[in-house]
Amino acid sequence: MTNFNRPALADSIRTNGATPNPWWSNAVVYQIYPRSFQDSNGDGIGDLKGITSRLDYLADLGVDVLWLSPVYKSPQDDNGYDISDYQDIDPLFGTLEDMDELLAEAHKRGLKIVMDLVVNHTSDEHAWFEASKDKNDPHADWYWWRPAKPGHEPGTPGAEPNQWGSYFGGSAWEYVPERGEYFLHQYSKKQPDLNWENPAVRKAVYDMMNWWMDRGIDGFRMDVITQISKPIDANGKLPGEEGSLIADNPVGEEGYSSPFPFCSDGPRVDEFLAEMRREVFEGREGYMNVGEAPGVTPSRNEHITDPANKELDMLFLFDHVGVDQKPGGSKWDVVPFEVKNLRERLADQQSAVKQAGWASLFFCNHDQPRVVSRWGDDSTEEAREASAKAFALLLHMHRGTPYVYQGEELGMTNAHFTRLDQYRDLESLNSFRQRVEEAKVQGAESMMDALALISRDNARTPMQWDGSKYAGFTAPDAPVEPWISVNPNHAEINAAAEFDDPSSVYAFYKQLIALRHNDPVVAAGDFQLVDATGEHVYAFTRTLGEKTLLVMANLSGRDVDVPADCAALLEGGVNEQQIVISTQGAAHAVASLTNHELRDWEAVVIAL
């Protein structure tokens, strides 16, 4: 069990409702996307040895936990989220011995390692799936196999078992002549969904998880874990199948219905997660488990993360990162960002876990674009730094566990690609083909604009370590270019330039992380909205005992008045000693507040 060089929260302070408080209650997690973090061997792809070489940087930043996106053996159809062998490392990233070395070196520095785990689906090249193609094999029922629709020739259009479409475009069913049936894949056709109704599947998954825990990892981040339970009727039929007692939803503009309303937070999710807890985590110490939870509401988050229910420690909810997408529309139907929508959804998440449970705090990850480009302003260096700090302060002052995505601490921006051939992301490429070329529901120019704003590749360009040719991600004279283009702005935005600059975005993140470690109000104080209607300012208080902090963030590029409710709390005036942290410095904050205003992208925390 790794020991941290930071104070623990006293058990007299309530966090998620557990006693004693979990070690992660004042921790900060840093997500690493291995293929884009650090290339140690010049093949253009980041690897485990590269991560090990950068541990001192991460220790200096002050984070506590490193979450690694998948490094298991994989055909890399979806960049490793299609696993062909759960108990081996893909040669792209190194070896099991490299993983052991990373664990040992991280633990020496007080850093824990959490591995990404994908068990809603496997790769179609996994041995389990290969075996399941034989109806007489013991693995025959390990996936969702279904015959063609009655009266249709198998493998022809319209013969699919129901009308579900994949989230990555096209049908959610793929025909396999070898078996004479279709298998379900909510994602890529190379990512068949596991059948969690089968106890043998669950046992195999738990055995594998225990193998990794025994090897020394500190927990799992579980990909789309709330989609493992599918609704079936009394006859075992999925919605929309011929003769099913569960009706499907209408077909959408792309020609398919969506499995999402049925398979997200399905009927047996609680049962499966509680069983996983018993079979893998009970009796262990020092671990953390967090689940990616598409379709899960804040109230369900409270239930699943309530320690009394013994399911998961944390969930990633997604309602707040959909605020720039048209309600009821496609992910690619983007609308302007409005502060009120973000405030409403984050406040709902905070309120839901007021009595028990815990929140995960994030704006960026490997599936989300860079927040500074998405909702901030990266048009000038000054605006980029200011808006990056404003969103950082806002997020880190909420109650829960913050997640920093690699490069977020530098204020890294979107890729700003202008051509489709610059993208590598399966979802982006498939969606362009489906929406623009096949269904013709969106124009090419509009779709390219949407990709430039929210494509997953915006977060996947190489980490910007310095201003050299390949940003220090790989050697300038490496024989192979990085797997995806380096952002041209790496000459200005990079770790080397920011590391010793006290006014940099990096330095600001260090302050925020230290605050969570050292101030119990930041880690565990109650959350209360102060102004729920303002157009530009997101304001709330954090209170623990007699201490209250007021948080105000102007999320716009214009000067604005301090909201009336906030002004009332500051009626006696503010001095520099009351400024806990500010994006533009204590003196600047006091001057702004004296004028009853917040400057463009100014955010501040005040001790009342």
Side-chain angles (χ1 to χ4, degrees):
M1 182 175 174
T2 300
N3 294 314
F4 295 115
N5 297 315
R6 59 171 167 82
L9 283 175
D11 289 336
S12 58
I13 299 171
R14 187 194 74 79
T15 56
N16 69 332
T19 302
N21 277 323
W23 60 265
W24 41 257
S25 54
N26 65 341
V28 177
V29 183
Y30 188 96
Q31 183 190 358
I32 292 174
Y33 196 65
R35 67 168 45 230
S36 296
F37 193 65
Q38 181 66 66
D39 173 18
S40 71
N41 60 5
D43 66 356
I45 297 173
D47 45 51
L48 293 174
K49 284 187 176 295
I51 297 171
T52 302
S53 73
R54 295 293 187 177
L55 289 176
D56 287 341
Y57 168 88
L58 297 165
D60 179 84
L61 181 60
V63 296
D64 308 285
V65 183
L66 308 182
W67 151 28
L68 308 185
S69 283
V71 291
Y72 314 92
K73 195 170 184 181
S74 165
Q76 302 296 322
D77 181 62
D78 188 25
N79 285 5
Y81 284 86
D82 50 316
I83 300 171
S84 58
D85 188 340
Y86 288 105
Q87 292 175 233
D88 200 0
I89 299 296
D90 194 283
L92 283 174
F93 304 118
T95 64
L96 279 168
E97 290 70 28
D98 293 337
M99 185 68 203
D100 291 339
E101 180 188 19
L102 172 58
L103 282 168
E105 292 300 319
H107 289 166
K108 284 180 187 177
R109 293 163 174 81
L111 298 168
K112 289 181 180 283
I113 299 284
V114 166
M115 292 185 72
D116 217 322
L117 183 65
V118 191
V119 288
N120 172 72
H121 48 265
T122 69
S123 166
D124 66 344
E125 297 182 32
H126 196 290
W128 297 345
F129 185 76
E130 290 290 342
S132 78
K133 293 178 183 178
D134 181 352
K135 291 183 181 181
N136 297 313
D137 190 276
H139 296 83
D141 193 32
W142 282 42
Y143 296 83
W144 290 90
W145 290 101
R146 289 293 187 271
K149 187 179 295 183
H152 291 72
E153 182 181 348
T156 62
E160 297 84 3
N162 67 14
Q163 298 183 96
W164 282 357
S166 162
Y167 310 134
F168 286 179
S171 173
W173 296 95
E174 183 72 9
Y175 182 65
V176 177
E178 184 179 342
R179 175 157 167 151
E181 291 185 320
Y182 293 83
F183 66 84
L184 173 68
H185 58 93
Q186 292 185 75
Y187 295 89
S188 163
K189 65 183 180 181
K190 288 186 66 62
Q191 294 172 300
D193 279 45
L194 281 165
N195 179 12
W196 275 68
E197 297 292 316
N198 187 333
V201 170
R202 304 200 300 274
K203 182 180 186 305
V205 168
Y206 304 152
D207 287 348
M208 172 269 296
M209 294 174 72
N210 275 306
W211 183 86
W212 275 111
M213 294 295 290
D214 292 344
R215 200 173 186 101
I217 71 165
D218 302 293
F220 294 100
R221 176 269 186 189
M222 288 170 271
D223 189 67
V224 297
I225 195 65
T226 53
Q227 293 185 326
I228 58 177
S229 172
K230 279 70 170 174
I232 51 176
D233 69 7
N235 300 311
K237 292 183 178 293
L238 293 163
E241 279 194 85
E242 187 78 17
S244 175
L245 301 176
I246 308 173
D248 198 358
N249 286 324
V251 168
E253 63 180 2
E254 296 178 18
Y256 302 95
S257 61
S258 175
F260 191 85
F262 298 105
C263 300
S264 300
D265 201 15
R268 298 184 70 186
V269 162
D270 290 320
E271 176 189 346
F272 293 157
L273 293 180
E275 181 182 65
M276 179 190 290
R277 183 80 168 224
R278 292 193 302 272
E279 297 298 321
V280 179
F281 299 108
E282 288 296 307
R284 298 185 186 271
E285 294 183 347
Y287 69 86
M288 182 184 91
N289 55 46
V290 55
E292 185 186 27
V296 169
T297 63
S299 60
R300 282 286 290 137
N301 177 68
E302 177 190 22
H303 177 89
I304 293 172
T305 64
D306 183 340
N309 296 321
K310 295 186 176 181
E311 295 186 34
L312 295 179
D313 297 326
M314 284 171 261
L315 292 177
F316 290 120
L317 304 189
F318 292 97
D319 51 340
H320 69 290
V321 292
V323 297
D324 53 3
Q325 292 156 8
K326 184 179 179 180
S330 160
K331 167 181 177 174
W332 310 105
D333 290 328
V334 295
V335 297
F337 170 74
E338 295 184 55
V339 173
K340 65 182 178 66
N341 294 331
L342 179 67
R343 176 175 55 223
E344 178 181 306
R345 297 188 190 188
L346 285 180
D348 284 349
Q349 293 180 20
Q350 293 281 292
S351 297
V353 293
K354 187 173 184 178
Q355 301 304 321
W358 201 243
S360 296
L361 310 174
F362 75 98
F363 289 143
C364 301
N365 64 30
H366 66 290
D367 283 336
Q368 302 295 328
R370 298 289 184 178
V371 70
V372 69
S373 299
R374 186 181 194 178
W375 299 335
D377 182 358
D378 66 3
S379 63
T380 68
E381 181 63 11
E382 182 180 21
R384 181 192 68 84
E385 287 195 3
S387 58
K389 290 178 181 179
F391 278 103
L393 183 145
L394 176 71
L395 184 81
H396 283 250
M397 290 307 299
H398 281 79
R399 189 170 187 272
T401 295
Y403 288 73
V404 179
Y405 179 70
Q406 64 181 47
E408 189 177 0
E409 78 279 10
L410 304 176
M412 278 179 61
T413 72
N414 275 2
H416 298 301
F417 290 151
T418 58
R419 304 188 318 273
L420 191 63
D421 64 6
Q422 293 175 291
Y423 289 93
R424 301 290 180 268
D425 175 37
L426 183 69
E427 179 193 42
S428 299
L429 297 173
N430 285 357
S431 294
F432 186 95
R433 184 184 68 248
Q434 176 74 25
R435 295 182 62 77
V436 176
E437 298 172 356
E438 296 179 6
K440 294 180 169 54
V441 296
Q442 191 164 354
E445 184 177 352
S446 168
M447 188 66 183
M448 288 301 295
D449 288 343
L451 290 175
L453 182 67
I454 59 174
S455 167
R456 302 192 301 180
D457 274 344
N458 285 302
R460 299 178 178 185
T461 56
M463 180 70 174
Q464 294 167 203
W465 295 107
D466 59 40
S468 63
K469 182 179 179 182
Y470 296 130
F473 164 72
T474 194
D477 59 353
V480 179
E481 292 188 350
W483 71 277
I484 191 171
S485 298
V486 174
N487 195 317
N489 64 23
H490 74 274
E492 296 78 37
I493 304 169
N494 61 71
E498 296 191 31
F499 193 80
D500 293 320
D501 180 358
S503 65
S504 67
V505 177
Y506 176 86
F508 191 73
Y509 266 83
K510 288 188 67 171
Q511 293 179 57
L512 288 170
I513 293 167
L515 262 181
R516 181 161 299 270
H517 289 166
N518 298 313
D519 191 334
V521 184
V522 175
D526 290 337
F527 170 94
Q528 182 65 51
L529 272 182
V530 175
D531 172 68
T533 60
E535 184 178 356
H536 302 294
V537 177
Y538 186 161
F540 54 91
T541 57
R542 300 291 310 284
T543 302
L544 185 64
E546 300 298 314
K547 185 174 180 180
T548 296
L549 302 178
L550 172 63
V551 181
M552 291 187 292
N554 174 15
L555 302 181
S556 75
R558 53 175 288 183
D559 297 350
V560 299
D561 292 335
V562 171
D565 291 348
C566 296
L569 294 174
L570 302 174
E571 199 170 17
V574 176
N575 58 54
E576 290 190 29
Q577 286 68 44
Q578 289 177 268
I579 305 300
V580 177
I581 189 171
S582 168
T583 55
Q584 300 185 28
H588 191 288
V590 169
S592 295
L593 296 173
T594 300
N595 292 327
H596 307 288
E597 67 178 9
L598 291 171
R599 301 296 300 276
D600 57 309
W601 301 112
E602 186 169 19
V604 61
V605 179
I606 306 151
L608 299 179

